[in-house]
Every structure is written in C-alpha cells, then in structure tokens.
Amino acid sequence: MDNVLLVDDDVELAEMLADYLRRDGFDVQAVYDGATGVTDALSGRYGIVVMDVMMPGMSGIEALRRIRLQSQIPVLMLTGKGDDIDRILGLELGADDYVPKPSSPRELAARIRAILRRTQTSAEIPELLSVGLLTMYPEKRNATWNGQPLELTGTEFNLLEVMARNAGRVVNKNELSEAGLGRPLARFDRSIDVHISSIRQKLDVCPNGQSYIQTVRGRGYVFIKD
C-alpha cells in the first residue's frame, strides 16, 4: 500500500513534500500535529508514516511511542541534522529509519520506497524459516520465539531474517543496512546497532546467559545456532 501519512507542523514544507511525493506516484495525506498523526496512523489507511521529530504539543517521539503501543506500521522519522539523541531515541522506540532535515524530496521518496519494498507482503508461495527457537514466516511478515509471537518492526524483521538465514556466519553491518534499511551504511551511522539492541531485548538469552545475537568487533553480527 503506497498510501503515505506525512506528519509535520511546518505546513509549507509538508505541502511541498506531499506534492513531490504525489508526482512520484504516492498517495499522500498531510496532517500538522502529533495527536492527529497518531489517530490517522492507527486507522489502517496507510502503508507508512513520515513524521517530524520536533513538533509543538505532542512531539514526533511521543507520537511514535503511542503508535508502537498498538501498531507496527513502518515509521520514517524526519530529524534535524546533528540531533543524534533524537535519532537514537526514535530508533529505540521502533522507528524504521530516519532522514535528516533538510533533505531532498528525492532522497525521502527513495527511503520510503526502500522501506515499503521490504515490509510489504509479496505474492510468492509462503515459506518457513526456522533456526532453533526462532520461526519466521517471511511472506506473512510474522515470527515466533519458542512458540510465542515476536512483536517486530518491519526493519527489525528484515534484519533478523538476514541473520537467521546466515545463522552461524558473521553478517557485516553494510550487508545488514542494505537488507534492512535499503541503503548503504553511512559513516558514523548507529542505526543498525540500535535496531540489533532492540531485537536482542525481544529474544531470550542462551543457556550460558549470552545473547543469541553476538557482536563480532570490527566485522558485524552473528546469530547463534541453538
């Protein structure tokens, strides 16, 4: 579903971005405050939310937190350049990715397409991916751990799927970024680390007390076969 919900209190900027995205083939609805953004995001009418972090009243961070209490709809955050704390907090709360402001509409459109491409169900025959306690259904976009549902964002699902398919082998961060975010890993970008940390918190630990996702310094991450 290429319906985009754009949430930004800067009306002029929001309309400019919305017009560009419409010309690029998206169906876009713009709203200008966080509370309305939350209500519309939970309506089921949209495939992705693009939301500014800095808004008066309810901030984008608080709106994201409320959305994640009820939905795993993809959320792309618009953050000010250099606002690393907001970016990391947004990712920790379940944002799928972020775009620094000011950004080009072309880059925004590319990021939206990358997220949608990796989160929308394809028409292929359903398959099952099982590694130890983890079972994933890639075409249905759901997963279980030890028989219990795993609540994963779209990006978290993509990253975990890549690691599960390569269980026992180190997967480098750039490979994870390409697969999970649809873009090369930028210098000093901590997005992958934050997403992996979130996934770890949703999984049990190994019998020896270690995480099932191990960091291999200077190389990447490895999913431990049970």
Side-chain angles (χ1 to χ4, degrees):
M1 190 165 57
D2 290 339
N3 294 345
V4 178
L5 176 63
L6 179 60
V7 188
D8 196 324
D9 66 298
D10 187 332
V11 176
E12 184 176 353
L13 175 61
E15 289 301 328
M16 184 271 290
L17 292 175
D19 286 344
Y20 180 91
L21 292 173
R22 291 184 187 113
R23 291 196 300 270
D24 209 23
F26 295 98
D27 186 355
V28 185
Q29 175 66 44
V31 298
Y32 312 108
D33 65 274
T36 303
V38 172
T39 300
D40 286 4
L42 298 176
S43 69
R45 301 195 304 268
Y46 301 96
I48 188 170
V49 179
V50 178
M51 184 154 50
D52 187 29
V53 167
M54 297 296 294
M55 292 187 290
M58 185 184 296
S59 70
I61 294 296
E62 175 60 20
L64 171 64
R65 187 188 68 79
R66 297 191 185 192
I67 290 170
R68 281 292 172 258
L69 290 175
Q70 301 182 56
S71 173
Q72 296 302 318
I73 184 174
V75 177
L76 177 64
M77 303 297 291
L78 300 175
T79 67
K81 284 193 173 181
D83 292 343
D84 291 337
I85 293 177
D86 284 336
R87 294 176 192 174
I88 292 172
L89 182 56
L91 292 170
E92 288 177 339
L93 288 173
D96 289 85
D97 202 359
Y98 66 86
V99 174
K101 293 175 67 177
S103 61
S104 72
R106 185 175 182 180
E107 179 186 4
L108 180 60
R111 293 287 188 91
I112 291 172
R113 280 206 169 85
I115 293 173
L116 288 175
R117 188 167 56 246
R118 285 158 176 78
T119 55
Q120 291 179 343
T121 303
S122 72
E124 297 176 5
I125 298 173
E127 62 174 308
L128 174 114
L129 173 62
S130 182
V131 182
L133 299 176
L134 173 68
T135 302
M136 305 188 77
Y137 304 87
E139 307 308 330
K140 296 179 181 179
R141 302 291 299 178
N142 60 43
T144 64
W145 181 266
N146 198 20
Q148 298 301 311
L150 271 179
E151 295 295 330
L152 301 169
T153 66
T155 297
E156 290 170 356
F157 188 96
N158 297 335
L159 294 173
L160 185 55
E161 181 183 357
V162 173
M163 289 186 290
R165 290 190 183 280
N166 294 276
R169 182 181 78 81
V170 178
V171 183
N172 66 57
K173 290 184 180 180
N174 194 63
E175 185 177 348
L176 287 169
S177 185
E178 290 280 9
L181 303 177
R183 59 178 173 83
L185 185 68
R187 191 178 183 187
F188 305 124
D189 189 345
R190 294 184 56 194
S191 301
I192 295 298
D193 300 318
V194 178
H195 286 304
I196 295 297
S197 175
S198 178
I199 296 170
R200 280 173 169 156
Q201 294 175 33
K202 297 177 180 182
L203 306 180
D204 294 330
V205 295
C206 298
N208 62 7
Q210 294 185 324
S211 170
Y212 277 92
I213 301 176
Q214 293 290 305
T215 302
V216 181
R217 188 175 297 276
R219 296 180 62 192
Y221 295 97
V222 58
F223 187 86
I224 303 298
K225 293 182 179 179
D226 190 8

